């Protein structure tokens, strides 16, 4: 019998709790945690730094292919490096959230990042979260989760997080409309839109605690 550990793929819209849940699972299971959104954020950050238009598919695609993007550190202290530069804090802003959503619609960007994510997770024993993990990156993952929540619940969580990080985010309604704008873009793009993967377990976390969601997913890991 193989002792290969499973891949846990978690997809869902912004603010559904994917990172918190994925980190808790990775910690409890001793698995690797891979936050793929950070990689799209890094590409957006670099494009903005270089003054490249986010809509310029050729240039942004090339930039994604040519950049060295590394996720290092531990589950609780993950760092994102691009070309050796640590930009972990720079990519956590609401502006980069929107910019990442824009560049993630570019096929060449997706191709470059998906190939690297497949490399990073192929050995198993990994919790990988994003928008297309169960549909594109690891369609054969042993466990697939689609983690959802109402846009109101997601906006409330994101708003509280942003305030804690010291961002001047405006009202709760502004956060909710930004989240809805990002949902629409992520769900309607032509390449790898956010959808529930075949075989994925649907979890609505609107009225669930982190522990309840974690326990539910752990019950699927035999
Ligand atoms: O998970 P996040 O908020 O950090 O992701 C930022 C954006 O990156 C998100 O709006 C869409 C894109 N993304 C993606 O298209 N595919 C992924 N696997 C992860 C993120």
């Amino acid at each position: 019998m193989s002792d290969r550990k499973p891949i846990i793929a978690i997809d869902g819209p912004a603010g559904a709790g994917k990172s918190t849940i994925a980190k808790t699972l990775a910690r409890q299971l001793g698995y690797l945690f891979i936050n793929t959104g950070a990689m799209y954020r890094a590409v957006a950050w670099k494009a903005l730094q270089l003054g490249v238009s986010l809509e310029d598919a050729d240039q942004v695609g090339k930039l994604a292919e040519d950049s060295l993007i590394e996720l290092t550190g531990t589950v609780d202290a993950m760092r994102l490096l691009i070309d050796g530069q640590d930009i972990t804090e720079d990519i956590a802003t609401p502006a980069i959230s929107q910019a990442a959503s824009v560049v993630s619609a570019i096929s060449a960007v997706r191709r470059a990042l998906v190939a690297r994510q497949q490399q990073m997770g192929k050995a198993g024993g990994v919790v990988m979260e994003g928008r297309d993990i169960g549909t594109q990156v690891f369609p054969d993952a042993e466990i697939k989760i689609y983690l959802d929540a109402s846009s109101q619940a997601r906006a409330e969580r994101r708003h509280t997080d942003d305030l804690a990080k010291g961002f001047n985010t405006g009202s709760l309604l502004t956060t909710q409309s930004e989240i809805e704008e990002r949902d629409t873009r992520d769900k309607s793009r032509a390449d790898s839109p956010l959808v529930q993967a075949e075989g994925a377990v649907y979890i609505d976390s609107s009225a669930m605690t982190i522990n309840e969601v974690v326990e539910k997913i752990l019950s699927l890991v035999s």
Side-chain angles (χ1 to χ4, degrees), residues 11-15 18-19 35-38 40-41 91 96-102 104-105 110 117 129-133 137 158 182-183 185-186 189 192:
D11 292 305
K18 296 187 302 293
S19 285
N35 166 5
T36 61
Y40 290 91
R41 287 170 182 266
I91 60 171
I96 295 288
S97 300
Q98 293 297 344
S101 171
V102 173
S104 73
R110 304 205 69 82
Q117 291 153 10
E129 57 107 341
R131 304 291 188 289
D132 62 340
I133 313 304
V137 184
R158 198 38 67 87
R182 197 140 72 95
D183 286 355
R185 199 186 297 113
D186 294 346
R189 65 182 175 221
S192 317

PDB file of all heavy atoms in Angstrom, residues 11-15 18-19 35-38 40-41 91 96-102 104-105 110 117 129-133 137 158 182-183 185-186 189 192, ligand 1:
ATOM      1  N   ASP A  11     -11.389  25.431  -2.782  1.00  0.00           N
ATOM      2  CA  ASP A  11     -11.706  26.567  -3.644  1.00  0.00           C
ATOM      3  C   ASP A  11     -12.904  27.320  -3.078  1.00  0.00           C
ATOM      4  O   ASP A  11     -13.668  26.779  -2.279  1.00  0.00           O
ATOM      5  CB  ASP A  11     -12.046  26.069  -5.059  1.00  0.00           C
ATOM      6  CG  ASP A  11     -10.825  25.496  -5.760  1.00  0.00           C
ATOM      7  OD1 ASP A  11      -9.814  26.217  -5.859  1.00  0.00           O
ATOM      8  OD2 ASP A  11     -10.885  24.327  -6.184  1.00  0.00           O
ATOM      9  N   GLY A  12     -13.065  28.546  -3.546  1.00  0.00           N
ATOM     10  CA  GLY A  12     -14.219  29.326  -3.120  1.00  0.00           C
ATOM     11  C   GLY A  12     -13.944  30.802  -3.297  1.00  0.00           C
ATOM     12  O   GLY A  12     -12.820  31.205  -3.614  1.00  0.00           O
ATOM     13  N   PRO A  13     -14.972  31.628  -3.105  1.00  0.00           N
ATOM     14  CA  PRO A  13     -14.827  33.073  -3.313  1.00  0.00           C
ATOM     15  C   PRO A  13     -14.055  33.744  -2.178  1.00  0.00           C
ATOM     16  O   PRO A  13     -13.802  33.133  -1.143  1.00  0.00           O
ATOM     17  CB  PRO A  13     -16.281  33.552  -3.337  1.00  0.00           C
ATOM     18  CG  PRO A  13     -17.018  32.573  -2.487  1.00  0.00           C
ATOM     19  CD  PRO A  13     -16.344  31.259  -2.706  1.00  0.00           C
ATOM     20  N   ALA A  14     -13.704  35.013  -2.399  1.00  0.00           N
ATOM     21  CA  ALA A  14     -12.942  35.788  -1.414  1.00  0.00           C
ATOM     22  C   ALA A  14     -13.707  35.893  -0.104  1.00  0.00           C
ATOM     23  O   ALA A  14     -14.915  36.113  -0.092  1.00  0.00           O
ATOM     24  CB  ALA A  14     -12.696  37.193  -1.971  1.00  0.00           C
ATOM     25  N   GLY A  15     -12.974  35.715   0.994  1.00  0.00           N
ATOM     26  CA  GLY A  15     -13.568  35.931   2.314  1.00  0.00           C
ATOM     27  C   GLY A  15     -14.374  34.767   2.858  1.00  0.00           C
ATOM     28  O   GLY A  15     -15.006  34.884   3.906  1.00  0.00           O
ATOM     29  N   LYS A  18     -11.083  30.479   3.376  1.00  0.00           N
ATOM     30  CA  LYS A  18     -10.209  29.431   2.828  1.00  0.00           C
ATOM     31  C   LYS A  18      -8.833  29.394   3.503  1.00  0.00           C
ATOM     32  O   LYS A  18      -8.372  28.331   3.891  1.00  0.00           O
ATOM     33  CB  LYS A  18     -10.004  29.624   1.316  1.00  0.00           C
ATOM     34  CG  LYS A  18     -11.246  29.481   0.477  1.00  0.00           C
ATOM     35  CD  LYS A  18     -10.916  29.524  -1.000  1.00  0.00           C
ATOM     36  CE  LYS A  18     -10.216  30.788  -1.456  1.00  0.00           C
ATOM     37  NZ  LYS A  18     -11.025  32.019  -1.378  1.00  0.00           N
ATOM     38  N   SER A  19      -8.200  30.559   3.637  1.00  0.00           N
ATOM     39  CA  SER A  19      -6.827  30.561   4.180  1.00  0.00           C
ATOM     40  C   SER A  19      -6.814  30.108   5.631  1.00  0.00           C
ATOM     41  O   SER A  19      -5.973  29.292   6.025  1.00  0.00           O
ATOM     42  CB  SER A  19      -6.212  31.957   4.084  1.00  0.00           C
ATOM     43  OG  SER A  19      -5.864  32.211   2.753  1.00  0.00           O
ATOM     44  N   ASN A  35      -0.980  28.796  -0.509  1.00  0.00           N
ATOM     45  CA  ASN A  35      -1.974  29.826  -0.765  1.00  0.00           C
ATOM     46  C   ASN A  35      -1.719  30.358  -2.187  1.00  0.00           C
ATOM     47  O   ASN A  35      -0.870  31.215  -2.399  1.00  0.00           O
ATOM     48  CB  ASN A  35      -1.757  30.895   0.320  1.00  0.00           C
ATOM     49  CG  ASN A  35      -2.445  32.185   0.051  1.00  0.00           C
ATOM     50  OD1 ASN A  35      -3.200  32.315  -0.909  1.00  0.00           O
ATOM     51  ND2 ASN A  35      -2.193  33.155   0.903  1.00  0.00           N
ATOM     52  N   THR A  36      -2.439  29.830  -3.156  1.00  0.00           N
ATOM     53  CA  THR A  36      -2.126  30.180  -4.555  1.00  0.00           C
ATOM     54  C   THR A  36      -2.487  31.622  -4.895  1.00  0.00           C
ATOM     55  O   THR A  36      -1.915  32.203  -5.810  1.00  0.00           O
ATOM     56  CB  THR A  36      -2.846  29.227  -5.538  1.00  0.00           C
ATOM     57  OG1 THR A  36      -4.261  29.344  -5.345  1.00  0.00           O
ATOM     58  CG2 THR A  36      -2.406  27.788  -5.347  1.00  0.00           C
ATOM     59  N   GLY A  37      -3.442  32.198  -4.148  1.00  0.00           N
ATOM     60  CA  GLY A  37      -3.817  33.598  -4.398  1.00  0.00           C
ATOM     61  C   GLY A  37      -2.610  34.518  -4.248  1.00  0.00           C
ATOM     62  O   GLY A  37      -2.486  35.518  -4.966  1.00  0.00           O
ATOM     63  N   ALA A  38      -1.703  34.165  -3.321  1.00  0.00           N
ATOM     64  CA  ALA A  38      -0.518  35.004  -3.088  1.00  0.00           C
ATOM     65  C   ALA A  38       0.325  35.086  -4.355  1.00  0.00           C
ATOM     66  O   ALA A  38       0.972  36.104  -4.624  1.00  0.00           O
ATOM     67  CB  ALA A  38       0.304  34.442  -1.931  1.00  0.00           C
ATOM     68  N   TYR A  40      -0.816  34.986  -7.542  1.00  0.00           N
ATOM     69  CA  TYR A  40      -1.460  35.934  -8.466  1.00  0.00           C
ATOM     70  C   TYR A  40      -1.262  37.367  -7.967  1.00  0.00           C
ATOM     71  O   TYR A  40      -1.056  38.299  -8.754  1.00  0.00           O
ATOM     72  CB  TYR A  40      -2.949  35.605  -8.627  1.00  0.00           C
ATOM     73  CG  TYR A  40      -3.160  34.316  -9.390  1.00  0.00           C
ATOM     74  CD1 TYR A  40      -3.253  33.087  -8.722  1.00  0.00           C
ATOM     75  CD2 TYR A  40      -3.197  34.309 -10.777  1.00  0.00           C
ATOM     76  CE1 TYR A  40      -3.390  31.892  -9.419  1.00  0.00           C
ATOM     77  CE2 TYR A  40      -3.341  33.116 -11.483  1.00  0.00           C
ATOM     78  CZ  TYR A  40      -3.433  31.919 -10.802  1.00  0.00           C
ATOM     79  OH  TYR A  40      -3.560  30.745 -11.507  1.00  0.00           O
ATOM     80  N   ARG A  41      -1.302  37.523  -6.640  1.00  0.00           N
ATOM     81  CA  ARG A  41      -1.070  38.847  -6.066  1.00  0.00           C
ATOM     82  C   ARG A  41       0.348  39.335  -6.383  1.00  0.00           C
ATOM     83  O   ARG A  41       0.564  40.518  -6.673  1.00  0.00           O
ATOM     84  CB  ARG A  41      -1.267  38.797  -4.537  1.00  0.00           C
ATOM     85  CG  ARG A  41      -2.725  38.678  -4.128  1.00  0.00           C
ATOM     86  CD  ARG A  41      -2.886  38.375  -2.646  1.00  0.00           C
ATOM     87  NE  ARG A  41      -4.295  38.240  -2.334  1.00  0.00           N
ATOM     88  CZ  ARG A  41      -5.064  39.236  -1.889  1.00  0.00           C
ATOM     89  NH1 ARG A  41      -4.536  40.427  -1.650  1.00  0.00           N
ATOM     90  NH2 ARG A  41      -6.345  39.049  -1.681  1.00  0.00           N
ATOM     91  N   ILE A  91       1.472  42.688  -0.546  1.00  0.00           N
ATOM     92  CA  ILE A  91       0.435  42.088  -1.390  1.00  0.00           C
ATOM     93  C   ILE A  91      -0.868  41.830  -0.640  1.00  0.00           C
ATOM     94  O   ILE A  91      -1.809  41.284  -1.202  1.00  0.00           O
ATOM     95  CB  ILE A  91       0.917  40.767  -2.051  1.00  0.00           C
ATOM     96  CG1 ILE A  91       1.299  39.724  -1.000  1.00  0.00           C
ATOM     97  CG2 ILE A  91       2.054  41.044  -3.020  1.00  0.00           C
ATOM     98  CD1 ILE A  91       1.564  38.344  -1.594  1.00  0.00           C
ATOM     99  N   ILE A  96      -4.364  45.425  -4.140  1.00  0.00           N
ATOM    100  CA  ILE A  96      -3.730  44.262  -4.779  1.00  0.00           C
ATOM    101  C   ILE A  96      -4.757  43.123  -4.943  1.00  0.00           C
ATOM    102  O   ILE A  96      -4.674  42.343  -5.894  1.00  0.00           O
ATOM    103  CB  ILE A  96      -2.472  43.806  -4.008  1.00  0.00           C
ATOM    104  CG1 ILE A  96      -1.387  44.885  -4.054  1.00  0.00           C
ATOM    105  CG2 ILE A  96      -1.926  42.486  -4.556  1.00  0.00           C
ATOM    106  CD1 ILE A  96      -0.689  45.079  -5.397  1.00  0.00           C
ATOM    107  N   SER A  97      -5.746  43.049  -4.061  1.00  0.00           N
ATOM    108  CA  SER A  97      -6.795  42.026  -4.230  1.00  0.00           C
ATOM    109  C   SER A  97      -7.475  42.205  -5.585  1.00  0.00           C
ATOM    110  O   SER A  97      -7.657  41.244  -6.348  1.00  0.00           O
ATOM    111  CB  SER A  97      -7.884  42.153  -3.149  1.00  0.00           C
ATOM    112  OG  SER A  97      -7.348  41.988  -1.874  1.00  0.00           O
ATOM    113  N   GLN A  98      -7.841  43.449  -5.895  1.00  0.00           N
ATOM    114  CA  GLN A  98      -8.526  43.711  -7.165  1.00  0.00           C
ATOM    115  C   GLN A  98      -7.575  43.485  -8.341  1.00  0.00           C
ATOM    116  O   GLN A  98      -7.947  42.888  -9.349  1.00  0.00           O
ATOM    117  CB  GLN A  98      -9.076  45.150  -7.220  1.00  0.00           C
ATOM    118  CG  GLN A  98     -10.205  45.452  -6.235  1.00  0.00           C
ATOM    119  CD  GLN A  98     -11.475  44.638  -6.463  1.00  0.00           C
ATOM    120  OE1 GLN A  98     -11.678  44.028  -7.506  1.00  0.00           O
ATOM    121  NE2 GLN A  98     -12.349  44.598  -5.466  1.00  0.00           N
ATOM    122  N   ALA A  99      -6.339  43.958  -8.199  1.00  0.00           N
ATOM    123  CA  ALA A  99      -5.368  43.833  -9.298  1.00  0.00           C
ATOM    124  C   ALA A  99      -5.077  42.355  -9.585  1.00  0.00           C
ATOM    125  O   ALA A  99      -4.943  41.945 -10.745  1.00  0.00           O
ATOM    126  CB  ALA A  99      -4.086  44.585  -8.946  1.00  0.00           C
ATOM    127  N   ALA A 100      -5.005  41.544  -8.526  1.00  0.00           N
ATOM    128  CA  ALA A 100      -4.736  40.108  -8.705  1.00  0.00           C
ATOM    129  C   ALA A 100      -5.889  39.457  -9.459  1.00  0.00           C
ATOM    130  O   ALA A 100      -5.679  38.597 -10.329  1.00  0.00           O
ATOM    131  CB  ALA A 100      -4.552  39.440  -7.344  1.00  0.00           C
ATOM    132  N   SER A 101      -7.087  39.877  -9.147  1.00  0.00           N
ATOM    133  CA  SER A 101      -8.258  39.320  -9.827  1.00  0.00           C
ATOM    134  C   SER A 101      -8.200  39.653 -11.324  1.00  0.00           C
ATOM    135  O   SER A 101      -8.538  38.825 -12.174  1.00  0.00           O
ATOM    136  CB  SER A 101      -9.524  39.878  -9.158  1.00  0.00           C
ATOM    137  OG  SER A 101     -10.667  39.547  -9.875  1.00  0.00           O
ATOM    138  N   VAL A 102      -7.728  40.861 -11.651  1.00  0.00           N
ATOM    139  CA  VAL A 102      -7.628  41.270 -13.067  1.00  0.00           C
ATOM    140  C   VAL A 102      -6.567  40.437 -13.797  1.00  0.00           C
ATOM    141  O   VAL A 102      -6.839  39.838 -14.844  1.00  0.00           O
ATOM    142  CB  VAL A 102      -7.321  42.790 -13.188  1.00  0.00           C
ATOM    143  CG1 VAL A 102      -7.061  43.175 -14.635  1.00  0.00           C
ATOM    144  CG2 VAL A 102      -8.464  43.614 -12.605  1.00  0.00           C
ATOM    145  N   SER A 104      -5.396  37.598 -13.056  1.00  0.00           N
ATOM    146  CA  SER A 104      -5.670  36.157 -13.027  1.00  0.00           C
ATOM    147  C   SER A 104      -6.572  35.712 -14.175  1.00  0.00           C
ATOM    148  O   SER A 104      -6.731  34.518 -14.413  1.00  0.00           O
ATOM    149  CB  SER A 104      -6.285  35.748 -11.690  1.00  0.00           C
ATOM    150  OG  SER A 104      -7.619  36.182 -11.601  1.00  0.00           O
ATOM    151  N   ALA A 105      -7.144  36.679 -14.899  1.00  0.00           N
ATOM    152  CA  ALA A 105      -7.969  36.320 -16.057  1.00  0.00           C
ATOM    153  C   ALA A 105      -7.107  36.081 -17.300  1.00  0.00           C
ATOM    154  O   ALA A 105      -7.601  35.612 -18.331  1.00  0.00           O
ATOM    155  CB  ALA A 105      -8.989  37.432 -16.324  1.00  0.00           C
ATOM    156  N   ARG A 110      -2.073  32.261 -15.892  1.00  0.00           N
ATOM    157  CA  ARG A 110      -2.600  31.032 -15.270  1.00  0.00           C
ATOM    158  C   ARG A 110      -1.710  29.843 -15.639  1.00  0.00           C
ATOM    159  O   ARG A 110      -1.380  29.032 -14.792  1.00  0.00           O
ATOM    160  CB  ARG A 110      -4.046  30.753 -15.696  1.00  0.00           C
ATOM    161  CG  ARG A 110      -5.029  31.880 -15.422  1.00  0.00           C
ATOM    162  CD  ARG A 110      -6.453  31.370 -15.273  1.00  0.00           C
ATOM    163  NE  ARG A 110      -6.578  30.601 -14.064  1.00  0.00           N
ATOM    164  CZ  ARG A 110      -6.757  31.119 -12.848  1.00  0.00           C
ATOM    165  NH1 ARG A 110      -6.878  32.421 -12.670  1.00  0.00           N
ATOM    166  NH2 ARG A 110      -6.820  30.338 -11.795  1.00  0.00           N
ATOM    167  N   GLN A 117       2.316  25.381  -9.388  1.00  0.00           N
ATOM    168  CA  GLN A 117       1.521  24.844  -8.266  1.00  0.00           C
ATOM    169  C   GLN A 117       1.466  23.319  -8.343  1.00  0.00           C
ATOM    170  O   GLN A 117       1.517  22.630  -7.320  1.00  0.00           O
ATOM    171  CB  GLN A 117       0.103  25.449  -8.302  1.00  0.00           C
ATOM    172  CG  GLN A 117       0.110  26.939  -7.952  1.00  0.00           C
ATOM    173  CD  GLN A 117      -1.049  27.719  -8.560  1.00  0.00           C
ATOM    174  OE1 GLN A 117      -1.983  27.132  -9.112  1.00  0.00           O
ATOM    175  NE2 GLN A 117      -0.996  29.033  -8.455  1.00  0.00           N
ATOM    176  N   GLU A 129      -5.093  26.094  -1.516  1.00  0.00           N
ATOM    177  CA  GLU A 129      -6.352  26.833  -1.665  1.00  0.00           C
ATOM    178  C   GLU A 129      -6.273  27.884  -2.758  1.00  0.00           C
ATOM    179  O   GLU A 129      -5.202  28.429  -3.017  1.00  0.00           O
ATOM    180  CB  GLU A 129      -6.793  27.431  -0.328  1.00  0.00           C
ATOM    181  CG  GLU A 129      -5.771  28.352   0.323  1.00  0.00           C
ATOM    182  CD  GLU A 129      -6.142  29.805   0.269  1.00  0.00           C
ATOM    183  OE1 GLU A 129      -6.997  30.182  -0.558  1.00  0.00           O
ATOM    184  OE2 GLU A 129      -5.529  30.577   1.021  1.00  0.00           O
ATOM    185  N   GLY A 130      -7.420  28.120  -3.414  1.00  0.00           N
ATOM    186  CA  GLY A 130      -7.465  29.102  -4.491  1.00  0.00           C
ATOM    187  C   GLY A 130      -8.839  29.157  -5.129  1.00  0.00           C
ATOM    188  O   GLY A 130      -9.873  29.164  -4.445  1.00  0.00           O
ATOM    189  N   ARG A 131      -8.858  29.230  -6.463  1.00  0.00           N
ATOM    190  CA  ARG A 131     -10.126  29.307  -7.194  1.00  0.00           C
ATOM    191  C   ARG A 131     -10.305  28.143  -8.171  1.00  0.00           C
ATOM    192  O   ARG A 131     -11.417  27.879  -8.627  1.00  0.00           O
ATOM    193  CB  ARG A 131     -10.205  30.613  -8.012  1.00  0.00           C
ATOM    194  CG  ARG A 131     -10.022  31.897  -7.233  1.00  0.00           C
ATOM    195  CD  ARG A 131     -11.215  32.151  -6.312  1.00  0.00           C
ATOM    196  NE  ARG A 131     -11.156  33.478  -5.679  1.00  0.00           N
ATOM    197  CZ  ARG A 131     -10.297  33.831  -4.737  1.00  0.00           C
ATOM    198  NH1 ARG A 131      -9.400  32.980  -4.304  1.00  0.00           N
ATOM    199  NH2 ARG A 131     -10.338  35.054  -4.213  1.00  0.00           N
ATOM    200  N   ASP A 132      -9.171  27.499  -8.529  1.00  0.00           N
ATOM    201  CA  ASP A 132      -9.208  26.476  -9.587  1.00  0.00           C
ATOM    202  C   ASP A 132      -8.438  25.225  -9.202  1.00  0.00           C
ATOM    203  O   ASP A 132      -7.985  24.492 -10.070  1.00  0.00           O
ATOM    204  CB  ASP A 132      -8.579  27.054 -10.867  1.00  0.00           C
ATOM    205  CG  ASP A 132      -7.108  27.414 -10.658  1.00  0.00           C
ATOM    206  OD1 ASP A 132      -6.701  27.581  -9.490  1.00  0.00           O
ATOM    207  OD2 ASP A 132      -6.368  27.501 -11.642  1.00  0.00           O
ATOM    208  N   ILE A 133      -8.257  25.009  -7.905  1.00  0.00           N
ATOM    209  CA  ILE A 133      -7.417  23.873  -7.488  1.00  0.00           C
ATOM    210  C   ILE A 133      -8.098  22.543  -7.834  1.00  0.00           C
ATOM    211  O   ILE A 133      -7.487  21.658  -8.430  1.00  0.00           O
ATOM    212  CB  ILE A 133      -7.054  23.947  -5.975  1.00  0.00           C
ATOM    213  CG1 ILE A 133      -6.581  25.361  -5.598  1.00  0.00           C
ATOM    214  CG2 ILE A 133      -6.007  22.881  -5.631  1.00  0.00           C
ATOM    215  CD1 ILE A 133      -5.429  25.904  -6.394  1.00  0.00           C
ATOM    216  N   VAL A 137      -5.845  22.612 -11.238  1.00  0.00           N
ATOM    217  CA  VAL A 137      -4.496  22.325 -10.713  1.00  0.00           C
ATOM    218  C   VAL A 137      -4.399  20.847 -10.323  1.00  0.00           C
ATOM    219  O   VAL A 137      -3.513  20.136 -10.782  1.00  0.00           O
ATOM    220  CB  VAL A 137      -4.142  23.258  -9.528  1.00  0.00           C
ATOM    221  CG1 VAL A 137      -2.713  23.008  -9.054  1.00  0.00           C
ATOM    222  CG2 VAL A 137      -4.302  24.726  -9.923  1.00  0.00           C
ATOM    223  N   ARG A 158     -13.974  40.167   6.032  1.00  0.00           N
ATOM    224  CA  ARG A 158     -12.891  40.873   5.354  1.00  0.00           C
ATOM    225  C   ARG A 158     -12.707  42.277   5.928  1.00  0.00           C
ATOM    226  O   ARG A 158     -11.591  42.744   6.133  1.00  0.00           O
ATOM    227  CB  ARG A 158     -13.215  40.912   3.855  1.00  0.00           C
ATOM    228  CG  ARG A 158     -12.104  41.199   2.889  1.00  0.00           C
ATOM    229  CD  ARG A 158     -10.780  40.598   3.199  1.00  0.00           C
ATOM    230  NE  ARG A 158     -10.629  39.152   3.133  1.00  0.00           N
ATOM    231  CZ  ARG A 158     -10.332  38.450   2.065  1.00  0.00           C
ATOM    232  NH1 ARG A 158     -10.160  39.045   0.918  1.00  0.00           N
ATOM    233  NH2 ARG A 158     -10.166  37.149   2.139  1.00  0.00           N
ATOM    234  N   ARG A 182     -15.241  41.406  -7.369  1.00  0.00           N
ATOM    235  CA  ARG A 182     -14.191  40.395  -7.561  1.00  0.00           C
ATOM    236  C   ARG A 182     -14.837  39.027  -7.851  1.00  0.00           C
ATOM    237  O   ARG A 182     -14.384  38.294  -8.727  1.00  0.00           O
ATOM    238  CB  ARG A 182     -13.327  40.346  -6.304  1.00  0.00           C
ATOM    239  CG  ARG A 182     -12.010  39.684  -6.496  1.00  0.00           C
ATOM    240  CD  ARG A 182     -10.923  40.418  -5.759  1.00  0.00           C
ATOM    241  NE  ARG A 182     -10.966  40.290  -4.320  1.00  0.00           N
ATOM    242  CZ  ARG A 182     -10.267  39.377  -3.638  1.00  0.00           C
ATOM    243  NH1 ARG A 182      -9.545  38.482  -4.280  1.00  0.00           N
ATOM    244  NH2 ARG A 182     -10.290  39.365  -2.333  1.00  0.00           N
ATOM    245  N   ASP A 183     -15.912  38.695  -7.113  1.00  0.00           N
ATOM    246  CA  ASP A 183     -16.631  37.422  -7.355  1.00  0.00           C
ATOM    247  C   ASP A 183     -17.067  37.335  -8.810  1.00  0.00           C
ATOM    248  O   ASP A 183     -16.883  36.318  -9.473  1.00  0.00           O
ATOM    249  CB  ASP A 183     -17.940  37.357  -6.554  1.00  0.00           C
ATOM    250  CG  ASP A 183     -17.723  37.109  -5.077  1.00  0.00           C
ATOM    251  OD1 ASP A 183     -16.569  36.898  -4.676  1.00  0.00           O
ATOM    252  OD2 ASP A 183     -18.730  37.132  -4.340  1.00  0.00           O
ATOM    253  N   ARG A 185     -15.964  38.876 -11.441  1.00  0.00           N
ATOM    254  CA  ARG A 185     -14.843  38.731 -12.378  1.00  0.00           C
ATOM    255  C   ARG A 185     -14.276  37.306 -12.306  1.00  0.00           C
ATOM    256  O   ARG A 185     -14.056  36.662 -13.322  1.00  0.00           O
ATOM    257  CB  ARG A 185     -13.772  39.777 -12.060  1.00  0.00           C
ATOM    258  CG  ARG A 185     -12.838  40.013 -13.213  1.00  0.00           C
ATOM    259  CD  ARG A 185     -11.674  40.943 -12.871  1.00  0.00           C
ATOM    260  NE  ARG A 185     -12.050  42.286 -12.505  1.00  0.00           N
ATOM    261  CZ  ARG A 185     -11.882  42.805 -11.284  1.00  0.00           C
ATOM    262  NH1 ARG A 185     -11.370  42.093 -10.310  1.00  0.00           N
ATOM    263  NH2 ARG A 185     -12.222  44.041 -11.038  1.00  0.00           N
ATOM    264  N   ASP A 186     -14.073  36.805 -11.081  1.00  0.00           N
ATOM    265  CA  ASP A 186     -13.456  35.480 -10.918  1.00  0.00           C
ATOM    266  C   ASP A 186     -14.379  34.364 -11.428  1.00  0.00           C
ATOM    267  O   ASP A 186     -13.906  33.316 -11.885  1.00  0.00           O
ATOM    268  CB  ASP A 186     -13.093  35.220  -9.444  1.00  0.00           C
ATOM    269  CG  ASP A 186     -12.000  36.168  -8.932  1.00  0.00           C
ATOM    270  OD1 ASP A 186     -11.346  36.829  -9.761  1.00  0.00           O
ATOM    271  OD2 ASP A 186     -11.810  36.249  -7.704  1.00  0.00           O
ATOM    272  N   ARG A 189     -14.751  34.840 -15.831  1.00  0.00           N
ATOM    273  CA  ARG A 189     -13.642  34.872 -16.803  1.00  0.00           C
ATOM    274  C   ARG A 189     -13.707  33.613 -17.670  1.00  0.00           C
ATOM    275  O   ARG A 189     -14.239  32.574 -17.250  1.00  0.00           O
ATOM    276  CB  ARG A 189     -12.299  34.993 -16.083  1.00  0.00           C
ATOM    277  CG  ARG A 189     -11.981  33.796 -15.231  1.00  0.00           C
ATOM    278  CD  ARG A 189     -10.658  33.961 -14.488  1.00  0.00           C
ATOM    279  NE  ARG A 189     -10.467  32.830 -13.606  1.00  0.00           N
ATOM    280  CZ  ARG A 189      -9.997  32.890 -12.369  1.00  0.00           C
ATOM    281  NH1 ARG A 189      -9.664  34.056 -11.847  1.00  0.00           N
ATOM    282  NH2 ARG A 189      -9.854  31.805 -11.654  1.00  0.00           N
ATOM    283  N   SER A 192     -10.679  29.111 -16.764  1.00  0.00           N
ATOM    284  CA  SER A 192     -10.735  28.605 -15.383  1.00  0.00           C
ATOM    285  C   SER A 192     -11.560  29.464 -14.430  1.00  0.00           C
ATOM    286  O   SER A 192     -11.054  29.893 -13.381  1.00  0.00           O
ATOM    287  CB  SER A 192      -9.323  28.464 -14.802  1.00  0.00           C
ATOM    288  OG  SER A 192      -8.440  27.900 -15.720  1.00  0.00           O
TER     289      SER A 192
HETATM  290  O1  LIG B   1      -7.335  34.170  -2.672  1.00  0.00           O
HETATM  291  P1  LIG B   1      -6.929  35.614  -2.966  1.00  0.00           P
HETATM  292  O2  LIG B   1      -7.950  36.620  -2.530  1.00  0.00           O
HETATM  293  O3  LIG B   1      -5.583  35.936  -2.418  1.00  0.00           O
HETATM  294  O4  LIG B   1      -6.828  35.690  -4.570  1.00  0.00           O
HETATM  295  C1  LIG B   1      -6.595  36.886  -5.260  1.00  0.00           C
HETATM  296  C2  LIG B   1      -7.111  36.777  -6.680  1.00  0.00           C
HETATM  297  O5  LIG B   1      -6.313  35.837  -7.402  1.00  0.00           O
HETATM  298  C3  LIG B   1      -8.546  36.277  -6.814  1.00  0.00           C
HETATM  299  O6  LIG B   1      -9.478  37.343  -6.833  1.00  0.00           O
HETATM  300  C4  LIG B   1      -8.531  35.487  -8.105  1.00  0.00           C
HETATM  301  C5  LIG B   1      -7.107  35.056  -8.282  1.00  0.00           C
HETATM  302  N1  LIG B   1      -6.883  33.633  -8.025  1.00  0.00           N
HETATM  303  C6  LIG B   1      -7.126  32.766  -9.073  1.00  0.00           C
HETATM  304  O7  LIG B   1      -7.604  33.174 -10.121  1.00  0.00           O
HETATM  305  N2  LIG B   1      -6.846  31.439  -8.935  1.00  0.00           N
HETATM  306  C7  LIG B   1      -6.354  30.968  -7.783  1.00  0.00           C
HETATM  307  N3  LIG B   1      -6.070  29.659  -7.675  1.00  0.00           N
HETATM  308  C8  LIG B   1      -6.120  31.825  -6.693  1.00  0.00           C
HETATM  309  C9  LIG B   1      -6.411  33.170  -6.847  1.00  0.00           C
END
